[in-house]
Amino acid sequence: MAVDKPLKLLPWYQRHLWQIVPVRDVLWIFLGAFLLWFGYQLRAIFIPLLIAFAFAYLFDPLIRWGERYCKMPRPVTISLILALVIIGGMSLLAWLGPEFLKQFAELLRGLIDYLQTLATEYDIHLLKSLRAKLEKWVQHLEENPVGFIVENTEILLIGTTQAVTVVRHILGTAVYIGTMALLIPFYFFMIAWHFGAIIRKIKDLMPAREKDQTLAIIKEMDEAVAAFFRGRLVIVLVTAGLFSLGWSPLFADVPYWLVLGISAGILNFIPYLAALGWLAAILSKGLAIGFSGDFDLWLVIIWPSFVYGVVQFIDGWLLTPWIQGRSLNLGAITVIIVVLIGGTMGGLYGLLLCIPMAACAKILFTGLILPRFYQWAEEH
């Protein structure tokens, strides 16, 4: 009875195409690129699914905690989380939503007036065109706030594709956005319910020879990505509240304090990018009071900067070390570049995937590729 030779002892011309390591690696790269391209083309369908999967991934430790310590069935825990998020989100929207839209419209009006002054003084056609577009935007916001939110939510979520255009004409924009709003909680419930089974199925499909190494790399990726996203999400919520409170009439009294505070908190998802909100706060306060004549250094610069410094101190010395823990090991500049590339190439679809892909690529490079370079350097 003939015994088959081990695969590594066979010459390359006797192996199947997928058994040649370089060819297999190239095929995996092409498969990954195709899946990304395919997902982008159907992003109207996949973005709600990605959002739901991201929430299921973020909330999975809390769901497992409820199962283990509170002895609650997994569907009950998921339902409670959904109810709390929906009720809390709607309550917050009803409380702060009207004030946010009012300040946002006022901010745009102030920007329009400033552009009008610059366009009149310097006669720049681009400024006049930008002012006219902002004027139409603000008019639409003031006349129909709900329609404004729905239309811009659609652009944010899915962009403009032919498939989306057809669906929009058939269902209508509002119905489409409403359908997506219902699908995301449904997807979240189903994915979160079967999240453990999905992970176990993926583990079962891994090759036995490389399973230990693969699981170790996946565990490292999971720890890095989870620490970053779960930590930054909490930090964004806390800092957005602190910025808004500090710039409110109770303290620094910065114009458009709610819009600028929430924007600075969201920008703080990427470390140090909240500085743009700080500069906007100084600029808006200076334009409201005036940078000449009765210019007040304390009101325009010191107080907004003091608030920014206090919040950044709380973030850097308390929130980030305590909440975030282990990070992606990606520098702030790298994260900014990755986010810009992802947003430019794929919109929200790219933003959802760019940071996890960058973190996983770095771990794969340092864990698999870089040691081979070191080995090659030692041998040669």
Side-chain angles (χ1 to χ4, degrees):
M1 180 178 178
V3 179
D4 295 335
K5 292 183 179 180
L7 179 62
K8 63 181 180 180
L9 297 181
L10 290 175
W12 67 269
Y13 54 83
Q14 292 184 2
R15 302 181 190 181
H16 294 292
L17 189 62
W18 60 85
Q19 292 176 329
I20 303 174
V21 175
V23 175
R24 186 175 61 200
D25 293 342
V26 171
L27 290 176
W28 277 116
I29 292 172
F30 273 107
L31 177 62
F34 171 77
L35 291 177
L36 287 174
W37 173 84
F38 183 75
Y40 178 75
Q41 295 301 316
L42 297 179
R43 60 189 181 277
I45 298 172
F46 283 112
I47 281 181
L49 196 60
L50 280 175
I51 294 173
F53 187 85
F55 278 115
Y57 174 72
L58 293 175
F59 282 107
D60 184 63
L62 181 61
I63 297 170
R64 285 191 279 108
W65 182 87
E67 280 186 299
R68 180 176 301 177
Y69 296 103
C70 299
K71 306 301 181 184
M72 289 192 300
R74 195 172 180 91
V76 174
T77 308
I78 299 169
S79 300
L80 286 175
I81 292 174
L82 266 177
L84 289 174
V85 170
I86 292 174
I87 294 173
M90 292 181 66
S91 301
L92 192 64
L93 187 63
W95 177 38
L96 297 177
E99 179 65 24
F100 182 88
L101 289 178
K102 176 186 173 183
Q103 290 189 21
F104 186 61
E106 291 175 354
L107 175 61
L108 292 180
R109 283 288 180 195
L111 183 59
I112 289 171
D113 294 338
Y114 185 64
L115 289 175
Q116 175 66 26
T117 303
L118 290 178
T120 304
E121 185 174 350
Y122 296 102
D123 193 24
I124 300 176
H125 177 72
L126 179 62
L127 295 178
K128 294 179 180 179
S129 176
L130 181 60
R131 180 196 170 278
K133 291 181 180 180
L134 283 176
E135 184 73 38
K136 293 180 180 178
W137 212 35
V138 174
Q139 185 177 0
H140 181 36
L141 170 61
E142 293 176 339
E143 291 177 354
N144 186 10
V146 176
F148 176 85
I149 294 172
V150 168
E151 290 179 10
N152 286 279
T153 301
E154 177 194 19
I155 294 173
L156 175 66
L157 287 177
I158 52 182
T160 54
T161 61
Q162 189 65 29
V164 173
T165 303
V166 173
V167 173
R168 184 178 62 228
H169 284 310
I170 294 174
L171 298 178
T173 300
V175 175
Y176 180 78
I177 297 299
T179 303
M180 292 298 100
L182 292 175
L183 281 177
I184 290 175
F186 174 74
Y187 287 154
F188 167 74
F189 184 88
M190 298 305 297
I191 294 172
W193 188 1
H194 301 288
F195 193 81
I198 295 172
I199 299 301
R200 288 192 295 272
K201 182 62 68 175
I202 293 174
K203 290 181 179 179
D204 293 339
L205 294 175
M206 293 178 183
R209 293 179 180 177
E210 304 172 356
K211 192 169 187 177
D212 292 339
Q213 184 183 16
T214 304
L215 288 176
I217 293 174
I218 291 176
K219 182 181 179 181
E220 187 177 357
M221 292 178 179
D222 173 62
E223 290 175 353
V225 174
F228 181 82
F229 277 96
R230 291 178 184 133
R232 293 317 295 180
L233 183 61
V234 175
I235 290 170
V236 162
L237 295 175
V238 174
T239 54
L242 292 176
F243 278 127
S244 300
L245 179 63
W247 288 336
S248 70
L250 294 175
F251 294 98
D253 194 16
V254 174
Y256 325 118
W257 55 272
L258 185 59
V259 174
L260 295 177
I262 292 177
S263 300
I266 294 173
L267 288 172
N268 202 38
F269 183 82
I270 302 172
Y272 311 116
L273 207 60
L276 295 177
W278 165 54
L279 296 176
I282 293 176
L283 181 62
S284 63
K285 186 69 174 180
L287 291 175
I289 294 180
F291 284 106
S292 60
D294 57 347
F295 176 77
D296 192 324
L297 180 66
W298 278 92
L299 293 179
V300 175
I301 296 179
I302 301 299
W303 277 114
S305 300
F306 176 75
V307 171
Y308 173 78
V310 169
V311 176
Q312 286 298 101
F313 175 83
I314 294 173
D315 178 14
W317 290 90
L318 296 177
L319 297 178
T320 298
W322 181 47
I323 296 175
Q324 188 169 333
R326 180 179 176 179
S327 66
L328 288 172
N329 292 323
L330 294 176
I333 299 298
T334 305
V335 173
I336 293 172
I337 293 174
V338 166
V339 168
L340 290 176
I341 293 174
T344 302
M345 295 183 64
L348 183 61
Y349 180 80
L351 290 175
L352 288 170
L353 295 176
C354 63
I355 295 180
M357 288 180 61
C360 294
K362 180 176 181 180
I363 291 172
L364 286 174
F365 180 79
T366 56
L368 296 179
I369 300 176
L370 196 59
R372 295 181 183 180
F373 279 111
Y374 287 135
Q375 182 181 0
W376 177 86
E378 291 177 355
E379 293 175 352
H380 295 78

